C-alpha cells in the first residue's frame, strides 16, 4: 500500500520595460526587457507500508531564480502593401546559467478590401517545468539534482497567415503552422517518456537523469472569427 505527500508553492515578481520609437513613416523600432524573479518551495514524497518507508522525490525550500528576457524589433514598411518585420530575442536563466538567442522574421502583404497574407518564422526557447529541475537522484555520494543542468527546449516555428475583414467590425483569421521541436528532455535509455507530455496526467513526472536529446513536431491550423466591440457587444470564436 502506498500514499503520498506533496506541497508546491511558487511566487513570481516581474519587472517590465517597453520602448517604442518611430523613426519615420517607413521605419519603427520596438524593444523591451522583462525580468521574472521566481521563489519556490517544492516537496513531494511517496509513502509505503503505512509510513515505515518513504521516497522523497523533491525537497526544495526558499529557492530563487531569475529569468531575464530582452528583445528588439524593427518594422519596415516597404510600400503601402508590403511590410517586413525582423527581431531578435534573448533570454538568460540564472538557475543553471542557460542562455538563448532567437531570431524572428515576418512578412505581410496587404491586398484587396481588407485582406492580407503573411509569412513568419521564429526560433523559440522554453525553460523546463521548475519541478523537473529538482527531481532527486540517489547516488553513492548522496542525493543530487541530476536534471538541474537541463537546457531550454527549442523549436523552429513556421506559419502562414490569411486575414479577411469581412465587415467593418468582423475579422477572419486562418493560420496553418508547423513547429519542429528539439533539445527536448528524455531519458538516456530509449523509452516512451518525453517532457513534451508533461501535464497530460494528474501526477508529477519524477524521471531523473534526463538529457536534451528528444525531438517532436506540431502541425495544425488555427481559425479565428472576431467581432470588435460595436452595437453594445463583441465576440471571439477560435478553433484549431
Amino acid at each position: 500500500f502506498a500514499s503520498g505527500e506533496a506541497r508546491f508553492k511558487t511566487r513570481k515578481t516581474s519587472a517590465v520595460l517597453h520602448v517604442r520609437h518611430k523613426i519615420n513613416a517607413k521605419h519603427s523600432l520596438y524593444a523591451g526587457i522583462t525580468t521574472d524573479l521566481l521563489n519556490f518551495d517544492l516537496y513531494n514524497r511517496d509513502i509505503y507500508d503505512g509510513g515505515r518507508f518513504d521516497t522523497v522525490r523533491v525537497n526544495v525550500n526558499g529557492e530563487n531564480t531569475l529569468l531575464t528576457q530582452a528583445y528588439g524589433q524593427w518594422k519596415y514598411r516597404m510600400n503601402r502593401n508590403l511590410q517586413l518585420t525582423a527581431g531578435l530575442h534573448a533570454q538568460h536563466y540564472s538557475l543553471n546559467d542557460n542562455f538563448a538567442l532567437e531570431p524572428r522574421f515576418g512578412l505581410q502583404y496587404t491586398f484587396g478590401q481588407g485582406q492580407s497574407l503573411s509569412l513568419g518564422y521564429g526560433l523559440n526557447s522554453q525553460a523546463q517545468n521548475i519541478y523537473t529541475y529538482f527531481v532527486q537522484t540517489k547516488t553513492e555520494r548522496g542525493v543530487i539534482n541530476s536534471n538541474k543542468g537541463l537546457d531550454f527546449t527549442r523549436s523552429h516555428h513556421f506559419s502562414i497567415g490569411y486575414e479577411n475583414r469581412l465587415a467593418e467590425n468582423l475579422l477572419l483569421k486562418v493560420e496553418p503552422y508547423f513547429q519542429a521541436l528539439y533539445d527536448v528532455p528524455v531519458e538516456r535509455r530509449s523509452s516512451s517518456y518525453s517532457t513534451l507530455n508533461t501535464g497530460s496526467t494528474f501526477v508529477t513526472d519524477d524521471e531523473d537523469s534526463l538529457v536534451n536529446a528528444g525531438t517532436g513536431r506540431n502541425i495544425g491550423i488555427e481559425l479565428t472569427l472576431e467581432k470588435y466591440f460595436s452595437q453594445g457587444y463583441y465576440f471571439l470564436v477560435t478553433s484549431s
Side-chain angles (χ1 to χ4, degrees), residues 89 101-104 121-125 154-157 182:
H89 180 270
L101 197 61
E102 308 156 356
R104 313 278 172 83
Y121 163 77
L123 176 63
N124 298 278
S125 304
R154 293 177 166 83
S155 66
H156 296 288
H157 190 105
Y182 63 101

Side-chain angles (χ1 to χ4, degrees), residues 159-187:
S159 64
I160 302 173
Y162 169 73
E163 293 188 7
N164 190 340
R165 189 172 290 277
L166 303 176
E168 182 180 358
N169 295 304
L170 190 63
L171 180 67
L172 173 68
K173 297 180 182 179
V174 181
E175 186 181 59
Y177 62 87
F178 173 77
Q179 192 177 33
L181 300 105
Y182 63 101
D183 286 350
V184 179
V186 293
E187 293 185 298

Side-chain angles (χ1 to χ4, degrees), residues 126-133 135 147 150-154 181-187 191-201 204-216:
Q126 185 179 42
Q128 310 307 324
N129 184 297
I130 194 65
Y131 182 94
T132 301
Y133 290 111
V135 173
N147 292 337
L150 285 172
D151 202 350
F152 294 114
T153 292
R154 293 177 166 83
L181 300 105
Y182 63 101
D183 286 350
V184 179
V186 293
E187 293 185 298
S191 74
S192 61
Y193 178 78
S194 170
T195 55
L196 293 181
N197 299 320
T198 296
S200 61
T201 66
T204 56
D205 291 349
D206 296 313
E207 281 74 11
D208 63 347
S209 305
L210 300 177
V211 292
N212 291 100
T215 60

Side-chain angles (χ1 to χ4, degrees), residues 3 12 23 162 182:
S3 60
K12 185 171 76 171
I23 301 174
Y162 169 73
Y182 63 101

Side-chain angles (χ1 to χ4, degrees), residues 211-235:
V211 292
N212 291 100
T215 60
R217 67 178 183 176
N218 293 318
I219 303 173
I221 183 170
E222 294 185 351
L223 307 173
T224 303
L225 182 64
E226 181 175 6
K227 181 189 178 300
Y228 301 116
F229 185 80
S230 64
Q231 299 177 331
Y233 76 100
Y234 66 94
F235 64 78

Side-chain angles (χ1 to χ4, degrees), residues 1 20-21 27 30 35 42 48-49 63 70 76 87 93 98 107-108 124 126 141 153 206 211-212 216 219 230:
F1 176 75
R20 290 179 181 270
H21 178 60
H27 300 273
Y30 181 45
T35 298
L42 309 173
Y48 305 92
D49 196 16
E63 190 82 15
Y76 173 42
Y93 200 33
N98 282 343
L107 188 66
Q108 183 181 56
N124 298 278
Q126 185 179 42
R141 297 182 179 181
T153 292
D206 296 313
V211 292
N212 291 100
I219 303 173
S230 64

Side-chain angles (χ1 to χ4, degrees), residues 81-83 85 105-111 115-121 158-163 173-176:
N81 304 103
L82 197 59
Q83 179 177 279
T85 302
F105 300 98
L107 188 66
Q108 183 181 56
Y109 174 67
T110 304
F111 62 97
Q115 298 183 73
S116 68
L117 285 172
S118 61
L119 299 173
Y121 163 77
F158 304 88
S159 64
I160 302 173
Y162 169 73
E163 293 188 7
K173 297 180 182 179
V174 181
E175 186 181 59

